């Protein structure tokens, strides 16, 4: 919770080199693979999930958590790099989010007709990389052992990443 000690590093050290909590085989289905193609990701192509926390998901406590928000625009350079390497960027999240830039290789799944809890899990567990900010969806990728690269992590005590080899950059405060 906010203001308490973060025990994640101790738990991660004890977890050591055990396997992932969930396996990809648990989420693969023909239906989800067809939805992925319908979203615009060609068969056998790779993709990353992108998510930044925005105002709107939880209006009741937004004032307490707004310091965790980030702008998706700040991630466009990373998304462009992924596109240049042949990957697709799928923005995940909820329907309260603002639309992302309409650009080749950018897929705004969060606002698509395919949005569902099952598809969220499928995408987070099937992507090659998860990039984003401090919000719940990064936890889904971590359950499957998907590499995570996050920026704008806050508060500092919450600036951990899920797995060894993941990267996290704390939020710069002014």
């Amino acid at each position: 919770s906010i203001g308490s000690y973060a025990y994640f590093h101790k738990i991660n050290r004890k977890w050591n080199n055990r396997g992932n909590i969930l396996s990809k085989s648990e989420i693969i289905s023909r239906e989800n693979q067809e939805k992925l193609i319908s979203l615009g990701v060609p068969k056998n192509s790779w993709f990353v999930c992108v998510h930044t926390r925005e105002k709107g998901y939880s209006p009741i406590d937004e004032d307490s958590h707004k310091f965790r928000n980030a702008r998706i625009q700040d991630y466009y350079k990373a998304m462009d790099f992924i596109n240049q390497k042949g990957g697709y960027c799928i923005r995940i999240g909820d329907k309260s989010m603002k639309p992302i830039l309409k650009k080749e290789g950018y897929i705004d799944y969060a606002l698509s007709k395919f949005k569902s809890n099952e598809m969220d899990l499928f995408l987070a567990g099937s992507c090659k990389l998860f990039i984003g900010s401090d919000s719940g969806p990064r936890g889904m990728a971590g359950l499957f052992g998907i590499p995570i690269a996050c920026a704008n992590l806050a508060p500092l005590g919450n600036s951990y990443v899920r797995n060894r080899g993941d990267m996290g950059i704390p939020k710069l405060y002014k």
Side-chain angles (χ1 to χ4, degrees):
S1 70
I2 295 174
S4 65
Y5 182 75
Y7 291 96
F8 183 79
H9 294 289
K10 286 183 179 183
I11 294 167
N12 199 18
R13 212 172 17 257
K14 286 182 180 181
W15 186 261
N16 203 4
N17 291 320
R18 295 180 196 162
N20 301 322
I21 294 171
L22 295 176
S23 103
K24 292 181 185 184
S25 64
E26 297 177 64
I27 57 165
I28 301 296
S29 75
R30 172 179 272 154
E31 182 181 345
N32 286 340
Q33 290 173 326
E34 289 172 1
K35 287 177 185 176
L36 184 61
I37 292 168
S38 295
L39 281 166
V41 179
K43 190 174 183 175
N44 299 321
S45 295
W46 63 276
F47 65 93
V48 302
C49 286
V50 181
H51 180 268
T52 56
R53 187 184 191 284
E54 290 183 9
K55 176 182 176 180
Y57 174 71
S58 183
I60 196 163
D61 64 355
E62 177 61 28
D63 201 47
S64 300
H65 292 274
K66 64 184 174 187
F67 66 91
R68 296 171 50 211
N69 293 348
R71 297 170 0 112
I72 189 69
Q73 298 88 334
D74 293 341
Y75 295 74
Y76 285 164
K77 284 184 181 180
M79 293 167 69
D80 289 342
F81 179 79
I82 290 160
N83 291 158
Q84 290 168 5
K85 297 296 181 187
Y88 291 80
C89 295
I90 301 177
R91 195 279 291 266
I92 63 174
D94 69 275
K95 299 259 184 202
S96 72
M97 301 180 99
K98 295 176 185 164
I100 63 170
L101 184 66
K102 292 187 186 299
K103 188 173 183 178
E104 184 71 29
Y106 286 24
I107 298 168
D108 203 353
Y109 158 76
L111 302 180
S112 78
K113 66 181 181 182
F114 300 107
K115 170 80 176 123
S116 71
N117 290 339
E118 181 183 340
M119 191 67 178
D120 287 352
L121 204 54
F122 169 75
L123 292 172
S126 301
C127 62
K128 189 171 187 173
L129 172 71
F130 179 93
I131 61 174
S133 65
D134 185 21
S135 194
R138 74 181 172 131
M140 290 189 300
L143 294 173
F144 292 96
I146 301 298
I148 298 171
C150 287
N152 296 307
L153 296 173
L156 190 56
N158 196 33
S159 294
Y160 59 84
V161 288
R162 299 279 185 228
N163 304 305
R164 290 191 170 102
D166 291 349
M167 294 187 302
I169 302 170
K171 188 169 194 169
L172 178 63
Y173 289 97
K174 295 180 183 177

